[in-house]
Amino acid sequence: MILPSDLRLAREFGRGTLVADFTVPGPPVSKQRPRTDTRGLRPRTYTPKKTTDAEEAVGWAYRGVAHGPVDATSRFGLALIFSVDQLTRDTDNMVKLVMDGLNHVAYADDRQVDEVSARKVKCPKASQRTRVVLYRL
């Protein structure tokens, strides 16, 4: 279900050319810090599986609505609505995960994103999702 406030946010901040408007189903995920494994001869740094799985889900959701090559030259903006069952989640880490999930999929690098707007809204546990509006500035 898309709330009227979601649509207002997308229109308010989506003032460039729309590239994609899509939803990632399921609870929004916060980007986790890299972990270090000290087993073996040398320490190994890795990204937790929950983070990589969630980034891949963002990329596949984007691919479901947008086609074409990765844009390496444009500047972008993002409007994000995180529908969560608890408002205690850390918004900036959820934003980072979405931006990283679109790396090499929608744009070459998240350094191309100049504008970000994010909002958390409370919803029932079964309705959790992330709404992503990507636009070219």
Side-chain angles (χ1 to χ4, degrees):
M1 177 173 80
I2 297 173
L3 303 172
S5 61
D6 294 349
L7 296 174
R8 274 197 307 277
L9 179 73
R11 278 196 299 269
E12 177 183 344
F13 290 97
R15 56 182 168 249
T17 304
L18 180 67
V19 174
D21 183 343
F22 61 96
T23 299
V24 182
V29 178
S30 296
K31 175 101 176 176
Q32 297 175 323
R33 293 177 184 223
R35 306 281 193 253
T36 302
D37 183 356
T38 56
R39 291 177 290 172
L41 298 175
R42 295 164 55 190
R44 178 180 75 95
T45 302
Y46 65 95
T47 301
K49 183 171 176 23
K50 184 176 181 179
T51 295
T52 56
D53 288 351
E55 288 173 349
E56 286 180 17
V58 170
W60 283 112
Y62 171 82
R63 287 180 187 102
V65 299
H67 306 286
V70 173
D71 187 335
T73 59
S74 296
R75 307 309 294 178
F76 295 95
L78 278 170
L80 304 168
I81 300 104
F82 299 104
S83 299
V84 294
D85 62 338
Q86 298 177 2
L87 296 176
T88 57
R89 298 192 187 184
D90 203 5
T91 305
D92 64 327
N93 289 328
M94 291 188 292
V95 169
K96 183 64 178 156
L97 186 134
V98 171
M99 290 177 66
D100 286 351
L102 293 173
N103 272 340
H104 309 293
V105 178
Y107 40 73
D109 192 89
D110 57 13
R111 287 179 288 180
Q112 292 173 255
V113 178
D114 293 331
E115 187 173 277
V116 177
S117 174
R119 176 180 295 161
K120 287 187 293 190
V121 295
K122 191 165 175 59
C123 72
K125 191 171 193 163
S127 299
Q128 295 181 98
R129 66 198 176 281
T130 301
R131 170 96 182 271
V132 180
V133 178
L134 177 68
Y135 51 95
R136 192 172 285 108
L137 296 173

